[in-house]
Amino acid sequence: MPDSCVDKQREYLLSKLYPELHKAIPAKAILTSIEELRVYECDAFTTMRQLPLLTVLPDSIDQVIHVMRCCYDLDIPVVARGAGTGLTAGSMPVENGVLLGMSKFTRIHDIDLHNRTALIEPGVRNKAVSDAVAPYNLYFAPDPSSQLACSVGGNVAENAGGVHCLKYGLTVHNILELDIVTAEGERVTIGAAALDAAGYDLMAILTGSEGLLGIVVAIRVKLLPKPASARVLLAAFSSIEDAGNAIAEIIGNGIIPAGLEMIDQTGICAIEELMHAGYPTEAAAVIICELDGSIEEVEEELGRVISILEQLNGFDIQVSDNEAESQRIWAARKAAFPALARLAPDNYIMDGTIPRRALAQVWKTINALAAEYDLLVVNVFHAGDGNMHPSILFDASCEDQHRRAEELGTRILELCVQVGGTISGEHGIGLEKINQMCLQFNDAELRQFHALKKAFDEKSLLNPGKQIPTLARCAEFNHMHVHRGEMPFPDLERF
Amino acid sequence: MSVSMEHLQLSLVEKVENAFQNQTPLAIKAGGSKRFYGRAVEGESLSLSSYRGIINYEPSELVITARAGTPLLEIEKVLAEQGQMLAFEPPSFSPDATLGGTIACGLSGPRRPYSGAVRDYVLGATIINGRGELLKFGGQVMKNVAGYDVSRLMTGAQGTLGVLLDISLMVVPKPAYEETLSLTADHAHMQQLLSELGRQPMPVSATALIDNQLHIRLSGAASGVLAAKQRIGGESLTDADLFWHQLNEHRHPFFTCSDPLWRVSLPPAAPAIPSHLLTNVLVEWGGAARWGFSVSSGKELREWVMEQGGHVTCFRNPNDISEVFNPLTPALFKLSQRLKHSFDPHQILNPGRLYDGI
């Protein structure tokens, strides 16, 4: 459509929608000027942008219901947004759609100490939950790296993880109940304050549904007691194989660490330069292993882990003796992405997950692919749960580099699927990885996803075009992507 | 996949496809160990018993993948040989219980409040939907957010959304040491103690209150268990494994009664169930699961429980006047019907097993 037509369409929709919204929502909570809307045109994946028709900032559930009913009547799509820290353009607006900002939903309604739950609004920041219940020796387990800023509503939408999910699970394991508003503007409670609920486990599909099935307006989260002791251990290895073996051996010995991370040499050097955390820059890889539990339990496991690491050629083993030292080791790990930002203007972060046994092989193949595409790739890895975060460093202002980075990303994700893994462990699909969904799911599976979406949202108004690609899109992508009819990675052992 | 299993899978897909074409209802079954559970289903039998066997198990990955008809006992034995187990401690109710039935019914045992439920450990599933399509969701990795989490949704759906074929589960190491403490307590005393313990990092892995005796199982590193034992007090229970096993399998003397058995799910700190609604209640899961026998319709009990934020299931021997599962709110029922339709448009998969029309 030519620009003038786009503008006319926009004006027409605004003239229809605005007066309806305004019946229940004050003007100051409805943003329509281009300057104000710029703030909402992307999430933390900044290379994709789209201005919304308008942004509405409700501050009550009734207002959310009103927005949904207006949009349902006028067939206007709605994209919900929390703190906007998503990495896959999941909360990027859609053209001529409403951006529903949940930033005013920041109340913690109820902290129930006896049931160890808290009823909160979706805009509450992840870290704020743990801060609020810290005086009672409790915390909320999911801890994505963005936990200072990201909202719990966003955590639900993405099924966010973090560095402690091997032992404490993802968001889906740590929430009990959700209040949602449907596309039709109906409020529905799913899950329960009890440990299970009657009927289908709708919590399972709502969590991680990226705003395509309903708008989350209240969340009952589970709270856990803080462990009495947590010790963090850092060990260096001169080869990736040794580090990989050490991880398999720790878990094979019946130890479930609270966190188990691995970083390659480029990552170590970048982090060290920024954070000066004492990471050994000569190592091919480091492992960070956190053990938590009762004081006695941690001491016992610590001895066993150190002996495993030593047997498998670990060196420079450092053990935190206090909270500050643990913080130092973790802070450096969590600063991995800012550290990489110093190496290149742009960073394309992958999020594939693989069975741990394939680690060394996948790591080597990634390095070979990086050489083939002439790009630097840094590997930061949630080794405990197999979630890889290879970062492809590039300069987006160079068109060729940008194209190579995207292609390399697709090859890496394809590799993850090939070894029995998935294209996304915790960042979600959004729009950024929507093509790669075609690598993982066939037409029948995609049709089932679309049918499921339709059960919740018949008119397809909630975050349309995200997460689940159309069959036509996949046909096109797969056609472009088949390497002259060859199997990708023919030399690779299949699992 | 072995040729015979591949063949069997194809024939199962074909049967469902035919049933879809002819709109023939199917009653899915395997070991038949939980036939007593849920609403009665009329339909042509679709047996998964022969579709069995462990497909993949590597202890250091903490993942096992097996076919739906695999006996639960076989899975537990193979895991135990490697010092591992299913964290949700499922009841089997019969040596014939299968993995498929366990996942479909979504029942967890004594460890559930402390380690998580069946659905928490489901990583992936291959299913046949009601259109006779073979679909694969999830995978063999802990973290997977590609698409909707359909494999977890299958847990507890009792086959009404899809026929389970292959299932991948996360498994966990067996605790190095376990000990069960017994102390005298009434409901109020139990709640106070468990609420306090729950806010501390205690290695509690099961609780049960029967006839004013509170049993608390501790699991973990020996040093941690012994330290917790010192703090909690009470007597050490001999034959503790047998006790928890019998409780889980409903072979404890408490369960010898042929009246309808009710399972009440509540927030753990909800008050004791008034005795005019249910007498002689057995309390598990730190207060979150409660059992009792009653010949009433369960209507008043349901009303009280729903006010507390819970739900009631008539678990065994329902009489003519009782709904098996707690009725859903109209909005939730509508959503559930639409969801059912999206997987099974002709309502051929275990129709009516959960509710009339679902």
Side-chain angles (χ1 to χ4, degrees):
Chain A
M1 234 188 288
D3 279 358
S4 59
C5 295
V6 173
D7 287 347
K8 269 190 194 147
Q9 170 78 353
R10 182 183 149 77
E11 267 165 43
Y12 170 75
L13 288 171
L14 273 179
S15 72
K16 286 282 191 193
L17 179 62
Y18 189 94
E20 289 303 315
L21 285 181
H22 193 38
K23 285 179 184 166
I25 295 166
K28 65 177 191 322
I30 308 173
L31 315 180
T32 54
S33 80
I34 302 299
E35 296 70 45
E36 287 173 311
L37 293 180
R38 286 269 174 240
V39 179
Y40 299 94
E41 68 181 352
C42 65
D43 61 12
F45 188 75
T46 53
T47 41
M48 285 182 170
R49 287 163 195 267
Q50 169 67 51
L51 281 177
L53 174 66
L54 58 78
T55 291
V56 58
L57 303 170
D59 69 359
S60 71
I61 293 174
D62 283 344
Q63 287 188 357
V64 174
I65 290 172
H66 180 74
V67 173
M68 295 314 295
R69 287 189 180 157
C70 294
C71 291
Y72 185 80
D73 288 345
L74 293 166
D75 288 346
I76 292 175
V78 178
V79 178
R81 175 189 167 105
T85 57
L87 294 165
T88 60
S91 62
M92 185 186 88
V94 298
E95 192 178 5
N96 285 325
V98 165
L99 194 281
L100 181 69
M102 298 300 283
S103 56
K104 291 181 181 168
F105 283 77
T106 55
R107 285 153 286 213
I108 294 178
H109 288 303
D110 177 35
I111 297 172
D112 181 344
L113 293 183
H114 293 297
N115 287 311
R116 293 183 299 288
T117 63
L119 184 63
I120 65 169
E121 292 187 341
V124 175
R125 285 176 304 109
N126 172 294
K127 182 71 167 44
V129 181
S130 290
D131 288 348
V133 298
Y136 314 107
N137 200 40
L138 298 169
Y139 77 109
F140 177 53
D143 62 342
S145 295
S146 57
Q147 70 181 138
L148 279 176
C150 65
S151 69
V152 182
N155 295 167
V156 173
E158 302 295 323
N159 192 12
V163 295
H164 291 102
C165 24
L166 177 63
K167 189 167 178 179
Y168 296 106
L170 308 158
T171 302
V172 72
H173 301 105
N174 289 283
I175 56 175
L176 290 167
E177 189 178 34
L178 293 175
D179 262 15
I180 60 168
V181 173
T182 65
E184 289 155 57
E186 192 163 12
R187 183 174 172 178
V188 185
T189 301
I190 64 171
L195 294 186
D196 43 43
Y200 293 129
D201 192 344
L202 299 182
M203 292 293 284
I205 37 172
L206 252 298
T207 314
S209 64
E210 303 194 14
L212 271 80
L213 303 184
I215 308 293
V216 174
V217 291
I219 306 156
R220 189 180 303 274
V221 301
K222 201 167 117 182
L223 303 171
L224 299 181
K226 278 197 233 170
S229 166
R231 305 281 296 274
V232 183
L233 192 146
L234 186 78
F237 289 87
S238 47
S239 79
I240 285 161
E241 283 87 350
D242 281 350
N245 289 339
I247 284 161
E249 201 62 21
I250 291 170
I251 290 169
N253 269 278
I255 298 167
I256 304 286
L260 192 55
E261 298 285 304
M262 193 163 153
I263 308 168
D264 75 357
Q265 192 171 27
T266 323
I268 299 167
C269 294
I271 288 171
E272 201 41 33
E273 211 177 295
L274 180 70
M275 300 296 289
H276 310 292
Y279 282 21
T281 49
E282 72 283 9
V286 295
I287 288 180
I288 302 170
C289 174
E290 178 175 315
L291 299 166
D292 72 3
S294 68
I295 293 168
E296 301 81 10
E297 204 176 354
V298 172
E299 287 311 306
E300 199 176 311
E301 286 186 346
L302 195 61
R304 289 169 63 202
V305 170
I306 290 175
S307 98
I308 290 169
L309 293 174
E310 283 172 349
Q311 271 170 29
L312 292 168
N313 309 321
F315 61 95
D316 263 5
I317 299 174
Q318 306 173 29
V319 183
S320 69
D321 278 326
N322 53 50
E323 177 84 21
E325 278 181 37
S326 300
Q327 289 290 342
R328 171 182 62 86
I329 296 174
W330 273 130
R333 160 62 186 86
K334 289 191 177 183
F337 297 116
L340 297 181
R342 292 154 59 104
L343 299 182
D346 296 282
N347 176 0
Y348 189 28
I349 307 166
M350 301 285 98
D351 177 41
T353 299
I354 57 168
R356 273 185 304 268
R357 60 179 179 259
L359 169 63
Q361 188 187 6
V362 167
W363 201 307
K364 283 190 169 161
T365 312
I366 289 177
N367 287 339
L369 285 172
E372 185 186 324
Y373 283 86
D374 193 21
L375 289 167
L376 186 61
V377 176
V378 180
N379 282 295
V380 181
F381 184 51
H382 297 310
D385 49 42
N387 191 193
M388 304 194 87
H389 292 308
S391 286
I392 304 170
L393 304 179
F394 69 106
D395 182 351
S397 65
C398 167
E399 212 171 283
D400 186 53
Q401 273 197 35
H402 198 163
R403 182 192 56 79
R404 276 185 285 140
E406 280 183 3
E407 242 181 76
L408 173 57
T410 299
R411 302 267 323 252
I412 290 174
L413 295 183
E414 190 173 36
L415 177 62
C416 292
V417 174
Q418 285 293 328
V419 299
T422 171
I423 59 169
S424 180
E426 59 184 356
H427 294 173
I429 304 302
L431 206 52
E432 182 258 324
K433 270 194 290 289
I434 197 154
N435 285 335
Q436 287 79 6
M437 281 287 280
C438 313
L439 300 171
Q440 198 168 326
F441 295 101
N442 64 30
D443 284 1
E445 288 152 357
L446 294 172
R447 269 198 307 270
Q448 182 61 67
F449 282 145
H450 286 297
L452 188 158
K453 157 109 173 135
K454 224 174 158 188
F456 284 82
D457 175 17
E458 202 172 359
K459 291 185 174 182
S460 197
L461 296 177
L462 289 169
N463 214 1
K466 310 281 180 65
Q467 193 182 27
I468 314 291
T470 60
L471 271 61
R473 185 178 192 127
C474 281
E476 193 184 337
F477 176 78
N478 287 333
H479 177 73
M480 305 266 295
H481 193 64
V482 168
H483 309 296
R484 296 174 296 277
E486 290 167 14
M487 252 317 239
F489 311 106
D491 53 335
L492 199 69
E493 197 186 319
R494 308 284 160 173
F495 295 99
Chain B
M1 190 161 34
S2 73
V3 177
S4 65
M5 284 302 146
E6 202 168 348
H7 186 77
L8 191 51
Q9 190 184 78
L10 280 174
S11 100
L12 287 165
V13 171
E14 210 171 284
K15 278 181 188 161
V16 181
E17 209 182 331
N18 286 336
F20 170 66
Q21 298 295 349
N22 304 324
Q23 307 203 12
T24 314
L26 295 173
I28 308 162
K29 54 172 283 221
S33 62
K34 285 174 275 291
R35 223 175 336 210
F36 65 85
Y37 183 67
R39 290 160 47 101
V41 172
E42 299 287 325
E44 209 170 276
S45 169
L46 183 76
S47 174
L48 273 288
S49 296
S50 317
Y51 188 72
R52 62 205 285 170
I54 292 169
I55 297 167
N56 188 19
Y57 172 45
E58 276 180 57
S60 75
E61 295 286 326
L62 300 175
V63 176
I64 191 166
T65 303
R67 298 187 184 93
T70 315
L72 189 58
L73 282 177
E74 182 184 329
I75 289 177
E76 285 174 335
K77 182 168 164 279
V78 167
L79 294 177
E81 282 165 7
Q82 301 295 328
Q84 297 185 336
M85 63 177 192
L86 297 174
F88 47 94
E89 207 174 358
S92 60
F93 299 127
S94 149
D96 299 328
T98 61
L99 176 65
T102 301
I103 304 306
C105 290
L107 302 175
S108 309
R111 217 175 285 272
R112 191 269 172 251
Y114 314 97
S115 310
V118 189
R119 53 90 89 168
D120 291 327
Y121 291 89
V122 173
L123 301 178
T126 304
I127 65 160
I128 309 170
N129 69 6
R131 288 181 209 85
E133 293 170 320
L134 184 73
L135 310 172
K136 203 173 161 185
F137 297 104
Q140 296 172 35
V141 289
M142 318 275 152
K143 283 160 99 176
N144 187 348
V145 295
Y148 306 117
D149 199 343
V150 173
S151 46
R152 258 186 246 284
L153 173 68
M154 293 296 136
T155 316
Q158 301 189 38
T160 60
L161 298 178
V163 180
L164 289 168
L165 290 178
D166 306 332
I167 300 143
S168 293
L169 293 175
M170 179 182 173
V171 298
V172 299
K174 263 183 184 299
Y177 182 73
E178 290 200 317
E179 196 163 335
T180 296
L181 308 174
S182 289
L183 38 147
T184 306
D186 60 11
H187 194 93
H189 180 194
M190 174 201 77
Q191 283 191 319
Q192 192 198 345
L193 178 66
L194 295 182
S195 171
E196 269 169 40
L197 295 180
R199 272 172 278 156
Q200 299 163 42
M202 283 282 176
V204 175
S205 70
T207 73
L209 180 70
I210 313 172
D211 296 331
N212 284 340
Q213 276 296 303
L214 174 62
H215 305 280
I216 301 177
R217 184 176 63 190
L218 303 169
S219 308
S223 51
V225 168
L226 294 173
K229 183 183 163 188
Q230 287 289 320
R231 292 183 56 189
I232 298 169
E235 298 288 317
S236 238
L237 183 71
T238 49
D239 285 336
D241 286 353
L242 183 68
F243 168 80
W244 293 110
H245 181 71
Q246 289 192 335
L247 182 77
N248 197 16
E249 296 295 339
H250 290 186
R251 275 192 261 137
H252 184 277
F254 172 87
F255 291 99
T256 43
C257 176
S258 54
D259 288 345
L261 171 66
W262 299 84
R263 177 185 182 275
V264 178
S265 172
L266 283 165
I273 299 171
S275 59
H276 71 276
L277 295 175
L278 209 58
T279 49
N280 188 25
V281 175
L282 185 156
V283 182
E284 273 196 282
W285 293 13
R290 307 182 193 181
W291 301 89
F293 292 90
S294 163
V295 290
S296 78
S297 70
K299 187 169 170 288
E300 279 178 74
L301 174 65
R302 273 209 168 103
E303 279 166 12
W304 182 85
V305 170
M306 286 169 75
E307 262 169 45
Q308 311 293 326
H311 69 102
V312 179
T313 307
C314 190
F315 199 83
R316 267 182 209 268
N317 311 322
N319 52 28
D320 310 340
I321 48 170
S322 47
E323 253 299 333
V324 175
F325 297 107
N326 210 95
L328 304 174
T329 61
L332 210 47
F333 188 76
K334 189 173 72 183
L335 213 46
S336 304
Q337 271 189 316
R338 287 193 200 162
L339 189 64
K340 163 82 174 169
H341 183 80
S342 78
F343 280 89
D344 179 19
H346 290 169
Q347 301 210 31
I348 58 165
L349 302 177
N350 273 358
R353 170 106 190 183
L354 289 175
Y355 296 99
D356 189 12
I358 294 181

